[in-house]
Amino acid sequence: MKKIMMHICCAPCFVAPYYSLKTEYDITAVWYNHNIHPATEYVKRRESVRDFVAREGIPYIEINNYGLIQFLDFSLKTRDSICPHCYHERLEAAALKAKEEKSDYFSTSLLCSMHQKHDLIKMVGYNIEQATQVPFWYQDLRDLWKKGIVLSKMQQMYRQKHCGCIFSEMERWQKLINDKV
């Protein structure tokens, strides 16, 4: 079986792709999400991933770096580049681990989310492929989105309310804030 180093943004986005792909690929999960805010959110998501991979016996690599200060430092200087930067940081970490572990591909569970910018993820992934010489495995997994919701609820996984960064949290509350003003 071909080996994929799969960046995991959260357990709910990973569960359906994992079950769908595990018979075709040898999957290793890698946690690196330096952008998640607040710290309590980071811990809840990480613990949910840890629980799932332990329960399923999935090989797991954890890059445990809560990098809020570095993320904000970059983000506040270059507001229009937040998503590309964030995707790049996380996918590059997966690609470098894939190279180190001699995986055939690297990818991300972000491809399951209806809320992510797929064209941007794909572009970033292929750019990293060129730089690292590790093939980026791309497949639009959004058709697994609803299945992931059902499976994550059945397995009582922690289900987050925003993408992860402080800016997505602000966007989540913006309508409520505007309605209350």
Side-chain angles (χ1 to χ4, degrees):
M1 270 198 284
K2 295 283 188 180
K3 298 189 319 186
I4 295 180
M5 182 68 60
M6 180 76 72
H7 162 262
I8 307 303
C9 60
C10 63
C13 283
F14 180 53
V15 63
Y18 172 72
Y19 288 142
S20 177
L21 299 171
K22 73 178 188 169
T23 58
E24 297 175 57
Y25 297 96
D26 180 7
I27 301 170
T28 298
V30 62
W31 168 266
Y32 177 59
N33 294 290
H34 65 298
N35 63 314
I36 296 175
H37 174 80
T40 53
E41 181 73 18
Y42 177 92
V43 170
K44 287 177 187 176
R45 291 184 194 204
R46 186 191 63 199
E47 293 307 309
S48 185
V49 168
R50 283 178 176 174
D51 290 346
F52 179 66
V53 298
R55 206 170 42 248
E56 293 293 326
I58 301 166
Y60 177 62
I61 297 169
E62 188 170 282
I63 304 170
N64 195 17
N65 176 17
Y66 183 64
L68 180 63
I69 292 170
Q70 297 87 345
F71 175 74
L72 287 175
D73 187 45
F74 175 85
S75 301
L76 293 173
K77 291 176 190 167
T78 55
R79 192 71 201 276
D80 295 336
S81 300
I82 296 168
C83 291
H85 173 73
C86 192
Y87 291 151
H88 184 273
E89 294 289 305
R90 295 186 288 168
L91 289 175
E92 183 180 56
L96 293 174
K97 283 295 178 189
K99 190 171 205 157
E100 185 180 307
E101 299 289 322
K102 299 182 178 19
S103 295
D104 298 295
Y105 307 100
F106 75 97
S107 194
T108 178
S109 62
L110 291 164
L111 296 173
C112 183
S113 175
M114 301 297 280
H115 302 290
Q116 299 301 322
K117 300 171 183 172
H118 279 249
D119 290 339
L120 183 56
I121 294 169
K122 191 177 354 179
M123 181 190 76
V124 168
Y126 288 131
N127 286 341
I128 293 169
E129 175 182 312
Q130 292 299 309
T132 63
Q133 299 302 300
V134 178
F136 175 58
W137 184 90
Y138 176 81
Q139 185 174 335
D140 187 340
L141 300 172
R142 288 176 282 195
D143 61 328
L144 297 172
W145 173 253
K146 288 182 181 177
K147 184 177 182 181
I149 291 171
V150 171
L151 289 168
S152 65
K153 286 180 178 179
M154 284 174 44
Q155 295 186 29
Q156 299 178 324
M157 291 178 174
Y158 171 71
R159 296 190 43 77
Q160 64 275 4
K161 307 289 188 263
H162 63 95
C163 174
C165 77
I166 193 169
F167 302 103
S168 67
E169 183 182 33
M170 180 186 73
E171 288 172 9
R172 175 179 176 243
W173 292 104
Q174 197 65 50
K175 184 177 180 339
L176 180 64
I177 291 166
N178 290 342
D179 287 348
K180 299 290 181 185
V181 174

